[in-house]
């Protein structure tokens, strides 16, 4: 993974010093809260219901054991002993104090971490595929390109006061594990017939109040020019994105209003002016970064077999372990959706366990997924049992990846000032229906339930096979039910099924949906999503509403 | 409807309620705010020391306030899903 | 209610045209002291050497006229409205070497970014703390990307 050189460290240190100075001036009332707010947001610090919330950046979801240990330390020292992994591969702390923030930033920068641009109207964390570098179906590791984007977008002077936030995702396979068509810019690394590398560029995808599937802006841009091309996209957005209405300010609205043809024309015209200016990094810089993502030194004699005689281990392997491109190795997903737990949360003790395992058994690398789980991407099959036992002892071995209890849920009104309703209790009630019966969960099969506590959609409910949206109905918490979304390469947006429910009604509705699915699926291997796509909404509507 | 004044402390983000003289971390200490609400609020906003000061509706009696909205109850008690993190100001049971 | 970063900024009223010398200036030549025309008046054929561009106006309409301009003032009615950053950088990319001034709701913590995109003078609505300005400008030893200030990006320093 990428390691800072002295330039990277100096840039982080300067930015940290700058923000410390800004905090000092705010605490001395030398600047107003209105002036301070965008500065604080550009450093990842929100004011939430109970306290300040800090969102620490985990670039493209990759971190080392040392970094994970520091995240555990921060949870213990500055927070209340836990953190929450998010749908954009970052981590959030919920109980931060502004007057301790200086020390916290210093601690983060010691391990090459920071919280820049995890909030605010700027370019946010570049997300990527949690199986990058390990998946057999990727063209190449997408993360060097995410790292180049990270550097290009950090403290970009032209794009720090955009109309709204800006999110970019990068993958390198036809299978989309990062939902690139639901990002402001989505990049898919491809190889041409002549062996050159380039990107297909999607633009204008997103969820929230106006969900849109991204459109292809350009089918091919050579890797050597994607930075200047991104610059052109951002400039058109910065100049022409709407600034009159926060709900119409994302690039997806601009693309819709201009139409993709006109939007493309404007980007291409801008790029024609930008491309000759030498904005793109040279090949030497690409090579330098790519070298840091080289394959680990695989043990070529590692046995490619697995002893599945322990039935609990076998269940976990079947659900949470994916094939690795290298024989003898496997990709293990650590579920952060345990029985009666809070989805995406990990205690500091659990973080330490994961750090140890990563260092000992996974080439010192951990990935965060946008489903709020973690991944050890390079585990020897021979070590999997030992890893599983250690995970199980720490309540990290729930065998539910992509099953009905692997729910994606935003913090909701238990934490967030923007929320209209609580979301975590809903996920817990739904999970409680199934969490004691793994066989039943496996019978239901892949079912992605996603819950957001408000229209901002941080729970990605529009991309849920079953999506749930918390709303405010005359001062009471209420929930809308949506069906048929997908954030994979077959991206679709979930649609509202019918009238909403209260907090008990929504759980009953989900139960009815699943019962109906099981009774009409063509065979047990047909996923809920595929059954829905095959038969349509009517039978599900009838099941829920009668 | 009875109103009390709430906000978050700038330095720590702590949830606070106005007790007539100072800010308290306990909702039970809050005083009912009458007609002087608007000028008091304006004063707090101008002082820039308390974030997002706002008047909220409560039922109950002094020492036993219950906010009318779930959101304000959550602010007073802590996350409904982590009773162990409750601030002791209000029980998560009331959410 | 803390609306975080969710504040609409379009259509905010611009500060008055600032014909006084800028309060903060990073140029060696004499400050320009002459009427500043609104863009429409300038393009309408008036004989002006200074023009003002609002956030929603297209600074590229000035491209044919850069050689007769001494000053372009770019308005910032609301500091959150970042359109002016693109306007300044576009002017520099087009070869403009005259004064580019940021006027209006300009905060000290934006000066660094503004210098990078080509602003070399500032007429903020509220006076700036010059010590903080200096600290801001001195603070960042390296930059990751090229802009309009000629600073060498880190990737060039790495590879010579």
């Amino acid at each position: 993974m990428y390691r800072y050189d002295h330039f990277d460290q100096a840039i982080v240190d300067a930015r940290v010093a700058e923000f410390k100075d800004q905090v000092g001036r705010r605490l001395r009332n030398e600047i107003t809260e209105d002036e301070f707010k965008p500065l604080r947001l550009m450093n990842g610090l929100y004011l939430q219901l109970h306290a300040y919330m800090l969102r620490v950046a985990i670039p493209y979801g990759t971190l080392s054991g040392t970094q994970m240990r520091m995240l555990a330390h921060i949870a213990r020292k500055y927070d209340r002993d836990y953190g929450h992994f998010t749908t954009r591969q970052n981590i959030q702390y919920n109980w931060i104090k502004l007057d301790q923030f200086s020390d916290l930033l210093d601690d983060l920068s010691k391990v090459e971490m920071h919280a820049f641009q995890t909030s605010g109207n700027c370019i946010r964390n570049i997300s990527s595929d949690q199986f990058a570098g390990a998946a057999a179906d990727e063209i190449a590791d997408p993360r060097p390109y995410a790292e180049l984007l990270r550097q290009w977008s950090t403290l970009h002077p032209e794009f720090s006061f955009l109309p709204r936030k800006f999110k970019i995702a990068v993958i390198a396979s036809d299978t989309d594990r990062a939902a690139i068509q639901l990002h402001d810019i989505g990049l898919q690394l491809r190889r041409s017939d002549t062996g050159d590398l380039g990107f297909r560029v999607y633009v204008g995808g997103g969820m929230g109040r106006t969900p849109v599937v991204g459109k292809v802006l350009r089918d091919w841009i050579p890797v050597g020019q994607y930075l200047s091309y991104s610059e052109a996209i951002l400039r058109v957005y910065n100049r022409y994105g709407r600034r009159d209405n926060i709900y119409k300010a994302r690039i997806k609205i601009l693309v819709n209003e201009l139409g993709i043809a006109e939007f493309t024309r404007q980007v291409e015209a801008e790029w024609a002016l930008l491309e000759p200016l030498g904005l793109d990094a040279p090949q030497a810089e690409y090579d330098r970064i790519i070298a840091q993502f080289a394959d680990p030194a695989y043990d070529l004699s590692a046995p490619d077999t697995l002893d599945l005689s322990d039935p609990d281990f076998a269940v976990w392997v079947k659900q949470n372990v994916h094939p690795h491109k290298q024989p003898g190795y496997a990709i293990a997903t650590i579920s952060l959706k345990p029985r009666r737990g809070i989805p995406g949360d990990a205690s500091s003790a659990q973080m330490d366990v994961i750090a140890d395992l990563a260092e000992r058994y996974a080439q010192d690398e951990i990935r965060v997924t946008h489903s709020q789980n973690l991944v050890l991407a390079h585990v020897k099959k021979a070590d999997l049992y030992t890893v599983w036992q250690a995970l199980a002892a720490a309540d990290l071995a729930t065998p539910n990846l992509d099953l009905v209890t692997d729910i994606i849920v935003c913090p909701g009104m238990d934490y967030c000032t923007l929320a209209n309703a609580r979301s975590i209790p809903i996920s817990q009630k739904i999970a409680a229906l199934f969490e004691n019966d793994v066989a039943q969960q496996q019978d239901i099969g892949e079912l992605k339930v996603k819950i957001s506590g408000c229209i901002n959609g941080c729970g990605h409910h529009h991309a849920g096979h079953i999506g749930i949206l918390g709303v405010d109905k005359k001062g009471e918490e209420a929930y809308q039910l949506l069906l048929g979304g997908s954030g994979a390469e077959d991206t679709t947006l979930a649609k509202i099924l019918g009238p909403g429910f209260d907090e008990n009604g929504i759980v009953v509705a989900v139960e009815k949906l699943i019962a109906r699915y099981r009774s009409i699926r063509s065979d047990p291997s047909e996923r809920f999503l595929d059954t829905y796509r095959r038969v349509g909404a009517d039978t599900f509507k009838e099941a829920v509403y009668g | 409807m009875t109103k009390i004044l709430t906000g978050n402390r700038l330095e720590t983000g702590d949830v606070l309620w106005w007790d007539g003289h100072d800010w308290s971390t306990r909702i039970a200490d809050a005083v009912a705010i009458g007609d002087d609400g608007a000028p008091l609020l304006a004063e707090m906003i101008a002082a820039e020391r308390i974030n997002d000061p706002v008047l909220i509706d409560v039922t109950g009696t002094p020492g036993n306030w219950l906010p009318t909205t779930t959101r304000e109850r959550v602010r007073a008690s802590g996350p409904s899903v982590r009773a162990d993190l409750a601030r002791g100001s209000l029980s998560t049971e009331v959410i | 209610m803390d609306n975080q970063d969710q504040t609409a900024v379009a259509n905010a009223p611009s500060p008055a045209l600032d014909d006084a010398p800028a309060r903060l200036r990073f140029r060696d030549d004499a400050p320009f002291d002459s009427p500043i025309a609104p863009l429409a008046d300038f393009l309408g054929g008036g004989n002006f050497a200074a023009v003002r561009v609002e956030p929603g106006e297209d600074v590229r309409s000035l491209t044919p006229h850069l050689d007769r301009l001494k000053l372009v003032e770019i308005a910032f009615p609301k500091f959150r409205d970042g359109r002016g950053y693109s306007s300044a950088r576009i002017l520099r990319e087009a070869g403009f070497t005259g004064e580019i001034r940021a006027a209006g709701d300009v905060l000290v913590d934006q000066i660094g970014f503004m210098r990078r995109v080509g602003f070399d003078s500032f007429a903020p609505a509220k006076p700036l703390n010059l010590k903080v300005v200096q600290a801001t400008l001195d603070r960042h030893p390296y930059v990751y990307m090229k802009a309009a200030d000629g600073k060498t990006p880190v990737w060039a320093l790495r590879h010579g």
Side-chain angles (χ1 to χ4, degrees):
Chain A
M1 56 179 279
Y2 188 73
R3 307 281 177 188
Y4 284 5
D5 60 11
H6 75 276
F7 295 112
D8 299 304
Q9 191 66 52
I11 288 173
V12 167
D13 291 345
R15 181 60 162 167
V16 166
E18 179 167 64
F19 186 60
K20 283 188 194 178
D21 179 69
Q22 291 165 344
V23 170
R25 281 189 279 130
R26 176 69 188 100
L27 291 175
R28 293 189 302 271
N29 258 28
E30 289 166 30
I31 48 176
T32 67
E33 185 61 20
D34 197 51
E35 292 163 351
F36 180 63
K37 201 177 293 177
L39 306 175
R40 134 162 100 68
L41 290 173
M42 276 198 274
N43 284 274
L45 197 61
Y46 286 85
L47 183 60
Q48 293 288 62
L49 291 178
H50 310 290
Y52 289 100
M53 181 272 277
L54 175 66
R55 185 179 294 148
V56 173
I58 301 179
Y60 36 87
T62 298
L63 67 163
S64 67
T66 302
Q67 290 173 324
M68 181 63 93
R69 252 193 227 94
M70 180 57 77
L71 295 181
H73 167 77
I74 285 173
R76 275 188 295 270
K77 184 171 173 197
Y78 302 102
D79 204 86
R80 300 183 77 174
D81 209 38
Y82 69 103
H84 172 75
F85 290 95
T86 77
T87 53
R88 295 218 74 242
Q89 303 178 305
N90 294 316
I91 185 171
Q92 291 178 178
Y93 296 100
N94 297 296
W95 306 90
I96 298 298
K97 299 183 193 307
L98 184 63
D99 57 9
Q100 294 181 330
F101 201 50
S102 259
D103 293 342
L104 192 162
L105 290 180
D106 283 341
D107 280 347
L108 280 177
S109 84
K110 283 182 203 142
V111 295
E112 302 177 16
M113 297 187 91
H114 59 70
F116 308 162
Q117 295 176 213
T118 54
S119 183
N121 293 339
C122 52
I123 302 168
R124 304 283 189 91
N125 188 25
I126 315 295
S127 59
S128 188
D129 176 355
Q130 65 268 16
F131 291 171
D137 63 348
E138 68 180 18
I139 298 293
D141 194 324
R143 294 173 300 165
Y145 305 95
E147 175 59 29
L148 279 159
L149 278 166
R150 182 190 75 82
Q151 296 194 15
W152 163 78
S153 65
T154 299
L155 306 177
H156 198 300
E158 188 178 345
F159 304 133
S160 291
F161 291 88
L162 296 171
R164 199 75 166 89
K165 61 180 109 171
F166 203 91
K167 300 181 179 178
I168 305 176
V170 189
I171 60 171
S173 56
D174 287 333
T175 307
D176 185 355
R177 289 178 283 268
I180 66 169
Q181 293 178 59
L182 295 173
H183 277 75
D184 298 295
I185 292 178
L187 297 170
Q188 182 186 348
L189 187 69
R190 304 162 66 206
R191 202 178 284 283
S192 73
D193 297 333
T194 45
D196 300 316
L197 286 176
F199 289 104
R200 173 178 289 141
V201 183
Y202 291 87
V203 74
M207 292 174 276
R209 193 161 293 236
T210 322
V212 182
V213 177
K215 299 179 176 51
V216 177
L217 175 61
R218 210 183 215 251
D219 201 55
W220 179 265
I221 183 89
V223 290
Q225 295 176 310
Y226 81 116
L227 292 177
S228 57
Y229 196 73
S230 299
E231 195 117 19
I233 299 170
L234 263 300
R235 178 174 286 178
V236 171
Y237 174 55
N238 189 48
R239 298 186 79 205
Y240 300 112
R242 287 178 64 168
R243 294 184 186 256
D244 59 315
N245 179 342
I246 55 164
Y247 300 115
K248 302 271 180 200
R250 298 290 289 274
I251 195 172
K252 63 191 174 188
I253 305 295
L254 180 63
V255 173
N256 270 3
E257 288 183 350
L258 292 177
I260 186 65
E262 172 60 17
F263 181 80
T264 307
R265 191 197 64 75
Q266 290 194 21
V267 171
E268 295 290 332
E270 192 66 53
W271 188 57
L273 296 171
L274 286 174
E275 196 277 328
L277 300 181
L279 303 172
D280 290 294
Q283 188 61 44
E285 178 66 353
Y286 283 68
D287 293 340
R288 185 188 75 89
I289 296 176
I290 289 168
Q292 300 197 46
F293 290 90
D295 283 345
Y298 292 124
D299 175 358
L300 301 177
S301 63
D304 200 34
T305 51
L306 261 184
D307 177 359
L308 296 174
S309 45
D310 181 330
D312 292 333
F313 175 59
V315 165
W316 180 79
V317 167
K318 175 166 184 249
Q319 208 52 51
N320 285 31
V321 175
H322 281 79
H324 193 290
K325 69 185 185 189
Q326 179 69 22
Y329 284 78
I331 304 173
T333 296
I334 300 171
S335 170
L336 295 181
K337 322 291 177 72
R339 283 180 61 231
R340 294 200 234 111
I342 295 178
D345 281 10
S347 68
S348 60
Q350 288 176 318
M351 292 183 213
D352 283 332
V353 165
I354 295 164
D356 285 342
L357 290 173
E359 281 169 355
R360 244 187 277 164
Y361 301 110
Q363 305 287 339
D364 196 20
E365 238 183 73
I366 305 143
R367 319 296 180 73
V368 185
T369 87
H370 73 92
S371 305
Q372 304 169 311
N373 291 317
L374 301 174
V375 166
L376 297 174
H378 306 295
V379 182
K380 269 193 235 184
K381 285 186 177 173
D383 292 330
L384 260 180
Y385 189 70
T386 308
V387 168
W388 170 75
Q389 286 180 309
L391 289 173
D395 201 15
L396 292 166
T398 314
N400 63 354
L401 179 59
D402 293 339
L403 299 179
V404 66
T405 58
D406 183 15
I407 300 174
I408 293 181
V409 57
C410 73
M413 205 161 71
D414 280 306
Y415 287 98
C416 182
T417 49
L418 302 173
N420 285 315
R422 284 171 298 145
S423 49
I424 300 171
I426 304 299
S427 78
Q428 291 178 325
K429 290 188 173 116
I430 292 171
L433 298 173
F434 306 102
E435 63 193 3
N436 291 321
D437 191 341
V438 177
Q440 188 191 31
Q441 289 185 56
Q442 289 182 325
D443 178 72
I444 295 168
E446 180 185 307
L447 176 47
K448 301 193 180 183
V449 179
K450 306 191 185 187
I451 308 176
S452 301
C454 80
I455 194 63
N456 287 295
C458 301
H460 292 185
H461 61 284
H462 286 296
H465 302 174
I466 295 176
I468 296 173
L469 171 64
V471 297
D472 179 308
K473 194 170 159 184
K474 297 186 205 160
E476 298 290 318
E477 296 169 286
Y479 299 91
Q480 285 180 351
L481 183 59
L482 301 89
L483 288 192
S486 170
E489 62 277 4
D490 60 345
T491 306
T492 49
L493 299 170
K495 294 191 174 55
I496 292 180
L497 191 64
F501 302 90
D502 68 13
E503 61 190 287
N504 293 317
I506 188 70
V507 178
V508 170
V510 169
E511 217 175 352
K512 288 179 177 168
L513 285 174
I514 293 173
R516 179 56 54 101
Y517 149 72
R518 286 167 104 179
S519 71
I520 63 170
R521 61 189 177 182
S522 56
D523 62 77
S525 70
E526 186 179 56
R527 298 179 305 165
F528 179 98
L529 178 65
D530 296 321
T531 302
Y532 170 82
R533 285 174 170 169
R534 177 171 58 80
V535 306
D538 287 350
T539 179
F540 290 104
K541 216 183 280 196
E542 191 269 323
V544 169
Y545 299 103
Chain B
M1 182 72 67
T2 311
K3 294 199 186 293
I4 61 177
L5 180 61
T6 186
N8 291 75
R9 194 179 295 285
L10 169 66
E11 295 85 349
T12 59
D14 288 339
V15 183
L16 302 170
W17 295 268
W18 181 250
D19 71 3
H21 311 283
D22 201 350
W23 290 95
S24 168
T25 54
R26 292 174 38 78
I27 190 173
D29 296 341
V31 293
I33 306 287
D35 297 325
D36 57 332
L40 183 60
L41 193 53
E43 200 183 299
M44 294 302 171
I45 292 169
E48 298 268 0
R49 299 312 297 175
I50 300 294
N51 283 332
D52 302 333
V54 68
L55 291 164
I56 61 168
D57 291 332
V58 293
T59 57
T61 51
N64 272 304
W65 302 121
L66 187 61
T68 56
T69 65
T70 308
R71 179 201 155 96
E72 288 301 326
R73 293 180 190 185
V74 169
R75 275 181 85 246
S77 70
S80 68
V81 289
R82 289 292 302 265
D84 60 317
L85 298 178
R87 300 161 170 275
S89 200
L90 210 62
S91 161
T92 54
E93 307 267 317
V94 306
I95 296 175
Chain C
M1 193 87 12
D2 183 358
N3 281 323
Q4 313 292 4
D5 53 352
Q6 306 197 69
T7 310
V9 294
N11 304 321
S14 273
L17 289 170
D18 185 6
D19 285 350
R23 277 169 255 183
L24 186 59
R25 197 165 180 274
F26 296 88
R27 292 180 68 91
D28 297 328
D29 55 4
F32 189 69
D33 184 16
S34 169
I36 305 174
L39 181 63
D41 292 358
F42 178 85
L43 294 174
N47 184 19
F48 299 100
V51 68
R52 173 182 171 107
V53 178
E54 299 293 336
E57 293 177 326
D58 185 2
V59 75
R60 285 205 167 105
S61 59
L62 293 174
T63 316
H65 311 288
L66 294 180
D67 51 350
R68 55 180 179 100
L69 278 170
K70 290 223 169 5
L71 164 68
V72 177
E73 181 176 84
I74 295 183
F76 284 88
K78 279 276 184 239
F79 74 85
R80 284 188 181 84
D81 187 332
R83 287 179 280 185
Y85 294 83
S86 290
S87 296
R89 194 167 167 216
I90 285 170
L91 282 172
R92 292 299 184 210
E93 287 166 6
F96 183 62
T97 55
E99 182 172 336
I100 304 182
R101 179 186 298 165
D105 194 14
V106 170
L107 305 183
V108 68
D109 294 291
Q110 299 174 303
I111 302 292
F113 286 146
M114 288 181 169
R115 290 288 286 134
R116 287 222 69 209
V117 295
F119 288 101
D120 50 13
S121 77
F122 302 88
K126 285 167 32 179
L128 300 177
N129 180 329
L130 293 178
K131 275 217 205 97
V132 176
V133 169
Q134 197 57 49
T136 304
L137 294 175
D138 292 340
R139 194 185 300 283
H140 297 280
Y142 304 114
V143 295
Y144 272 132
M145 75 301 288
K146 278 194 190 176
D149 58 355
K151 279 203 178 129
T152 308
V154 169
W155 49 255
L157 296 174
R158 283 169 175 148
H159 303 286

